[in-house]
Amino acid sequence: MIRPRPRALTDTPPRAVLYLRQSIAREESISLELQEHAGREYCEQRGYDVVAVEADAGISGRTWARPAVQRVMSMIEESRAEVIVLWKWSRLSRSRRDWAVAADRAEVAGGRIESATEPIDVTTSAGRFARGVMTELAAFESERIGDVWREVHARRVSTGRPANGRPRFGYTYDPAGKVHRPDPVTGPVLADLYQRYVGGESVYSLVRWLNASGYETVPGYTPPGSTGAWSERTLRRVLDRGFGAGYFTVGDELRRGIHEPIIDEATWEAYQVSRQERRVERSGERSQYLLSGLVRCACGARMTAGLHGHARAAKMRCKKNADGVHAGGYVMMHFLEAHVLDWLRDVAAEVDDATSAASEDVAHAQRSRDQARFLEREITAAREELLRATRAHLSGVIPEDAYLVVRGELEEKVAGLSGRLLAAQVAGRRAPAPQVAASLLADWETLSVELRRGALKQLIAYVLVKPGRPRAEISVVPVWEGERSHE
């Protein structure tokens, strides 16, 4: 096949587009200004008319998914320019495949690619060979840098450090010690976020508080080009990664780091339990109604809040009623909330009453601690059994198929036990119900609906309603009774 020749030069100056790229690698982070100056000087010497300057700032040459480079290639293919001028050949790409495709696209369109600082006559076979050598060197250098960084990252991870020293909210980076240290300003804020979430405050209200207080995210938590404002997704990423608890992630694996934790292990475990429990209740967290997500009908269905009836009064309605399964199923919201508030006062008054229902909360906490110790022993035994099975498999005693079945069963068992252990540990650390109730009542008037609801969830498993006339029958099922029913 005869390859198209570059467009013939005419009396009209060739139109050139400068392509600039600032690499993310530090040792070669040549400024865009320097690249543009060299490119313009090169074009002036050759009589080229610079019609556009396109730049990809801070993007690796290993990827071809760069907006500016795509625009430059389109200009050549659409005959809006004849020459692409680079600072160095490596600026266009460090990928052998991408470079070959780009050169072919330019030549098929009748254009060409040139370097301002590494001039080569690509109209000759020798020139194209020399360009191939230069692009091969660029690919080699890219791979060499990648190998070095992989070694550095692996070494950092093996010593309990994250793969890089990028900023983490709540911490500052100590380059001398190559370790993150708690920041005296944002560190306490991060710890407070965990405590407030575990205490029942929603992600949505925490985000509003962070932005209203002037706290910004740090680079790496938000998409490129976005502001430092917090979003629900950003806050969840920060909290879920567990850096403040002394962990860091390698892929999907959570590893213990050498940096100082901002929160203790108990708070981290409580956060994980709360996070899991609230994954399916996210819409309820935003509800304007105090008891959203907490009320059940006697028929077993959940009750949802809304404005119902001719007067558009706030009521709870049974979901089965809404689906047309049964008639009735309404309860006035103010009546329901008043009943719950009376129950809360009763619990708060039982501080010294050893025969009260609240004393069952203390007994349940002790049972939870006992259960946690039992589950820890079960997990240890299952892991030891898995270790013995692995050794037997490596010794040839257990065949591959049988080993995979045993390993899958034991890993599933450990995962199930670990979930139960986490729940038992949190329940075992729960503050006595009377203290929680008294504290909640003391701050009731100053707390938002979200905070009240979150605090109630520490005490109430659900509110059971039997709709009827003239009034519904209401009973509050405490957390300790609800959990006991599942033991």
Side-chain angles (χ1 to χ4, degrees), residues 46-106:
R46 282 157 180 74
Y48 296 169
D49 180 19
V50 178
V51 295
V53 178
E54 295 286 356
D56 284 312
I59 303 180
S60 170
R62 300 179 189 180
T63 176
W64 192 243
R66 286 172 271 141
V69 79
Q70 298 301 325
R71 291 194 295 269
V72 165
M73 296 305 302
S74 295
M75 291 183 68
I76 296 295
E77 293 176 326
E78 295 169 5
S79 299
R80 290 184 285 130
E82 287 76 43
V83 188
I84 298 174
V85 176
L86 314 169
W87 178 66
K88 286 184 180 292
W89 294 106
S90 62
R91 294 301 87 191
L92 188 70
S93 178
R94 285 189 176 277
S95 163
R96 299 178 183 87
R97 177 183 177 280
D98 291 341
W99 233 115
V101 171
D104 184 71
R105 286 174 60 183

Side-chain angles (χ1 to χ4, degrees), residues 441-454:
L441 287 170
D443 297 330
W444 188 265
E445 296 301 326
T446 61
L447 294 177
S448 66
V449 171
E450 292 170 331
L451 284 174
R452 292 179 192 174
R453 181 168 53 246

Side-chain angles (χ1 to χ4, degrees), residues 110-416:
R112 59 188 183 275
I113 305 174
E114 299 179 4
S115 169
T117 58
E118 298 167 334
I120 295 173
D121 183 2
V122 295
T123 63
T124 67
S125 57
R128 287 191 291 274
F129 173 78
R131 182 183 63 187
V133 172
M134 298 299 291
T135 56
E136 178 63 31
L137 287 173
F140 165 75
E141 183 64 11
S142 175
E143 292 171 354
R144 185 192 66 79
I145 292 172
D147 290 341
V148 170
W149 277 110
R150 277 189 289 273
E151 289 180 14
V152 171
H153 291 173
R155 185 164 58 251
R156 286 180 59 90
V157 168
S158 68
T159 58
R161 296 173 171 86
N164 55 64
R166 71 171 180 79
R168 263 75 172 178
F169 183 77
Y171 286 81
T172 57
Y173 186 66
D174 176 8
K178 295 183 178 180
V179 66
H180 290 84
R181 303 191 186 282
D183 182 75
V185 176
T186 59
V189 173
L190 179 59
D192 188 47
L193 291 172
Y194 277 106
Q195 295 287 354
R196 291 168 67 175
Y197 184 88
V198 170
E201 191 164 354
S202 72
V203 169
Y204 311 98
S205 62
L206 292 176
V207 166
R208 289 196 297 271
W209 176 80
L210 282 167
N211 289 329
S213 301
Y215 294 109
E216 293 190 346
T217 60
V218 293
Y221 287 108
T222 55
S226 62
T227 65
W230 289 86
S231 67
E232 295 152 14
R233 181 181 178 185
T234 302
L235 180 56
R236 286 193 180 98
R237 287 180 62 195
V238 170
L239 298 179
D240 286 351
R241 288 181 176 179
F243 201 81
Y247 294 95
F248 68 98
T249 55
V250 180
D252 294 331
E253 182 185 356
L254 204 63
R255 297 195 185 185
R256 173 65 72 178
I258 64 169
H259 61 281
E260 180 185 344
I262 288 176
I263 61 172
D264 58 27
E265 192 68 17
T267 302
W268 171 239
E269 291 173 355
Y271 168 76
Q272 293 178 85
V273 171
S274 297
R275 183 77 165 92
Q276 185 61 36
E277 290 176 344
R278 293 160 67 178
R279 283 183 190 276
V280 296
E281 299 177 355
R282 201 167 292 163
S283 60
E285 292 178 19
R286 283 186 271 195
S287 174
Q288 60 179 310
Y289 300 105
L290 176 64
L291 300 177
S292 289
L294 281 171
V295 185
R296 298 182 189 177
C297 180
C299 73
R302 286 188 175 274
M303 300 190 76
T304 57
L307 301 177
H308 303 288
H310 295 297
R312 307 302 292 168
K315 299 179 182 179
M316 280 283 187
R317 179 175 65 172
C318 175
K319 190 176 185 301
K320 286 187 177 180
N321 170 271
D323 296 337
V325 176
H326 69 71
Y330 288 93
V331 61
M332 296 296 293
M333 190 71 72
H334 69 85
F335 178 56
L336 192 60
E337 292 181 0
H339 187 94
V340 170
L341 202 55
D342 287 341
W343 177 86
L344 198 62
R345 294 190 184 99
D346 290 341
V347 173
E350 295 171 350
V351 176
D352 300 319
D353 188 355
T355 64
S356 69
S359 64
E360 175 60 20
D361 176 40
V362 178
H364 175 73
Q366 182 58 53
R367 289 197 300 272
S368 297
R369 289 191 288 271
D370 294 340
Q371 184 186 29
R373 286 191 288 269
F374 169 76
L375 291 171
E376 286 173 347
R377 292 194 295 269
E378 289 289 295
I379 291 173
T380 299
R383 285 174 173 165
E384 289 176 349
E385 186 176 352
L386 177 58
L387 179 59
R388 289 194 296 270
T390 302
R391 287 172 176 168
H393 170 61
L394 294 175
S395 302
V397 177
I398 300 179
E400 179 78 12
D401 292 345
Y403 169 69
L404 291 177
V405 172
V406 171
R407 186 182 69 180
E409 291 176 349
L410 289 173
E411 288 177 345
E412 185 177 350
K413 180 179 180 180
V414 169

